[in-house]
Amino acid sequence: MIRVTVWNEFLHERTEEKIKAVYPDGIHTAIAEGLAAHGDVCVRTATQEDPECGLTEAVLAETDVLIWWGHCRHHEVPDEIAERVWRRVLDGMGFIVLHSAHLCKPFVRLMGTVCRSKWRENDEKERLWVIEPAHPIAKGLPEYLELPAEETYGERFEIPTPDELVLVSWFSGGEVFRSGCCWRRGLGKVFYFRPGHEAYPIYYREDIRRVLYNAVVWAQPSGGPHPTLGHFPTPLEKVAMADHSDEFHP
Ligand code: ZN
């Protein structure tokens, strides 16, 4: 089983009637429902309203893949929690960052850039082209996905060049955007997926749910070895040992 935690700042759905009508139980619940339909996923949710943002050491230790949706409350996530997430990713936890979560603290720290982009709310059509059909995240997808109305994001998106770029968006207003980006950080894998503005029912769509499920499968820990880092005094092979005991090795 892949253990997934879906995290949401959970603000708009509580404070704006228009958004509450789209996601009455919160964006996190809609995403979790889509994943729970798969027999190999065990899903839980957490929100910024929970103690320690719902991301205690224990929760993160039991999380193979963390999905993060946030927009207006990034700065309210304590640095200590952001660092905890960052460390878990480097230690192998998958991290899927959705839409406006590109500015959340753990993602910005993992990327090392400002991660900003252009944006406009104008109900424009978004067409997401699958440009890497052989990638695991593209499994079962058509050649492109079409969202009739979405918030528009535009390049330049201030991210490091992705290790793999799976999806590219075109908007009817003319912008383009790298909307499905993969990176490796430490032992962990990171996927950024652009769609999911809170005013549109994007996370109920089967094709979007397919992308998220594929991303979970891709981002789960590989099961590979934990490398040895730092001072390693005993050679694997039998060799003569030099005496460097008087030298300083940081
Ligand atoms: Zn948005």
Side-chain angles (χ1 to χ4, degrees), residues 9 12 69-74 100-101 103 151 153 197-198:
E9 72 171 20
H12 304 293
W69 196 99
H71 179 210
C72 290
R73 303 176 69 193
H74 300 309
S100 42
L103 293 175
E151 181 178 23
Y153 278 14
H197 186 63
E198 65 274 8

Side-chain angles (χ1 to χ4, degrees), residues 23 31 44 49 69 80 132 157 169 225 239-240 244 249:
Y23 293 110
I31 293 170
R44 72 162 105 189
E49 295 301 294
W69 196 99
E80 182 191 340
E132 242 5 298
F157 185 18
S169 286
V239 289
H244 290 294
H249 294 283

Side-chain angles (χ1 to χ4, degrees), residues 194-216:
R194 198 218 74 86
H197 186 63
E198 65 274 8
Y200 309 107
I202 297 300
Y203 295 121
Y204 298 111
R205 290 174 55 116
E206 281 309 311
D207 49 4
I208 296 294
R209 287 181 165 186
R210 162 60 62 174
V211 172
L212 295 182
Y213 171 69
N214 288 349
V216 161

Side-chain angles (χ1 to χ4, degrees), residues 88-183:
R88 265 293 285 145
V89 174
L90 297 182
D91 197 42
M93 180 181 73
F95 191 35
I96 297 174
V97 177
L98 300 175
H99 188 59
S100 42
H102 61 72
L103 293 175
C104 76
K105 287 181 182 179
F107 182 67
V108 171
R109 182 158 181 190
L110 285 161
M111 295 297 106
T113 56
V114 296
C115 298
R116 295 191 66 200
S117 71
K118 285 192 292 202
W119 60 276
R120 171 174 70 241
E121 252 189 277
N122 193 38
D123 295 344
E124 286 167 20
K125 179 162 81 177
E126 176 176 9
R127 188 177 292 136
L128 296 102
W129 288 95
V130 177
I131 63 165
E132 242 5 298
H135 195 279
I137 294 177
K139 186 178 176 184
L141 295 180
E143 194 173 3
Y144 60 85
L145 317 184
E146 212 162 82
L147 309 178
E150 247 290 2
E151 181 178 23
T152 299
Y153 278 14
E155 297 281 351
R156 162 119 171 125
F157 185 18
E158 272 294 341
I159 48 171
T161 300
D163 297 332
E164 294 164 308
L165 183 57
V166 184
L167 295 141
V168 172
S169 286
W170 166 89
F171 295 87
S172 52
E175 275 75 13
V176 294
F177 199 78
R178 289 169 288 174
S179 51
C181 309
C182 301
W183 296 268

